[in-house]
Amino acid sequence: MEPVEIAVIGGTGVYRADMLEDAAWREVRTRYGAAEVLVGRLEGRSAAFLTRHGKGHSAPPHLINYRANIMALKQLGVRRVVATAAVGSLNERMKPLDFVLADQFLDFTKARKNTFFEGGADGVVHLDVSDPYCHEVRSVIEAQAKALGMPVHQGGCYVCTEGPRFETPAEIRMFRQLGGDLVGMTSVPEVLLAKEAGMCYAVIAMVTNYAAGISENPLSHAEVLEAMDTLSGNISRLIMGTLSVMPAEASCGCGNMGERFAKMMGEK
Ligand code: HPA
């Protein structure tokens, strides 16, 4: 089978992949478990779509098998990933229904497998995350969003919490003092695993609400879903536009890390 160049990881509210033509679901088995991936074509290129939480949103953020998801994409040959994630905002400039292309994160997760390299035969890897989210993919998304007239912010610090609960207002005040702009539950370890695997990775954070204590109302998953529903047309158009102009050749350097990973995969 021809390698799949590019993939979308759809977060909460992004389950439709009707942007892909000739698409078929495939179960991709990896040594970390299986992932269901929709493989099809977009503008003549091979592309894949994976729903982060599984079909029917069955896995909560802290129980997602991030390694199986990323490994499945790697096994298909994917080199560039555009992910979506619903987030709360800590920054008044980043309003509900805006898109933010995160460029940094603060990791407040607690119990997740956050590396493929677990010592022993796999070796030990201390990943460089000076530039966690691929700047080349981020610029392509930004240009597309602007061309489509959508509100987009280039750069923002994503605070990743363990979930599945929302945050306390005190936590949100702390995250703001630390420099956080957005809060969500999924970008870590996904971004790290993609980087270890040598894939370009960027996330389109979709602001669904102001975070706890900033918002006057209690938070609810229903509120998040309602905002996602409003955003669904725009996110589909943004993703389609982005994939269709994404350069096949990368000059960002994200692929360099992949050599160590390929060696580890080959040894198994
Ligand atoms: N907190 C954490 N995750 C979220 C939020 C939030 O306020 N909104 C959407 N995902």
Side-chain angles (χ1 to χ4, degrees), residues 86-88 166-167 183-185 208-209 211 219 224:
V87 293
F166 289 115
E167 303 70 37
V183 61
M185 305 177 192
T208 56
N209 56 281
L219 302 188
V224 170

Side-chain angles (χ1 to χ4, degrees), residues 12 61 85-90 158-159 161 163-167 172 182-186 206-212 219-221 223-225 228:
T12 297
V87 293
S89 172
L90 283 61
Y158 180 119
V159 180
T161 65
R165 65 169 176 85
F166 289 115
E167 303 70 37
I172 294 298
L182 309 166
V183 61
M185 305 177 192
T186 53
M206 308 164 72
V207 180
T208 56
N209 56 281
Y210 281 118
L219 302 188
S220 73
H221 191 55
E223 179 190 6
V224 170
L225 290 181
M228 292 302 303

Side-chain angles (χ1 to χ4, degrees), residues 127-140:
L127 186 71
D128 172 30
V129 272
S130 309
D131 191 16
Y133 298 93
C134 175
H135 56 85
E136 224 171 79
V137 174
R138 283 195 286 117
S139 339
V140 176

Side-chain angles (χ1 to χ4, degrees), residues 80-82 100-103 131 133-147 152-155 200-204 238 241-242 245-247 251-252:
R80 304 195 118 168
V81 178
V82 175
V100 185
L101 307 172
D103 66 342
D131 191 16
Y133 298 93
C134 175
H135 56 85
E136 224 171 79
V137 174
R138 283 195 286 117
S139 339
V140 176
I141 304 170
E142 181 189 16
Q144 269 302 301
K146 287 191 171 152
V152 65
H153 303 263
Q154 182 59 272
C200 302
Y201 176 97
V203 65
I204 307 174
L238 178 55
T242 299
V245 298
M246 187 71 72
S251 53
C252 46

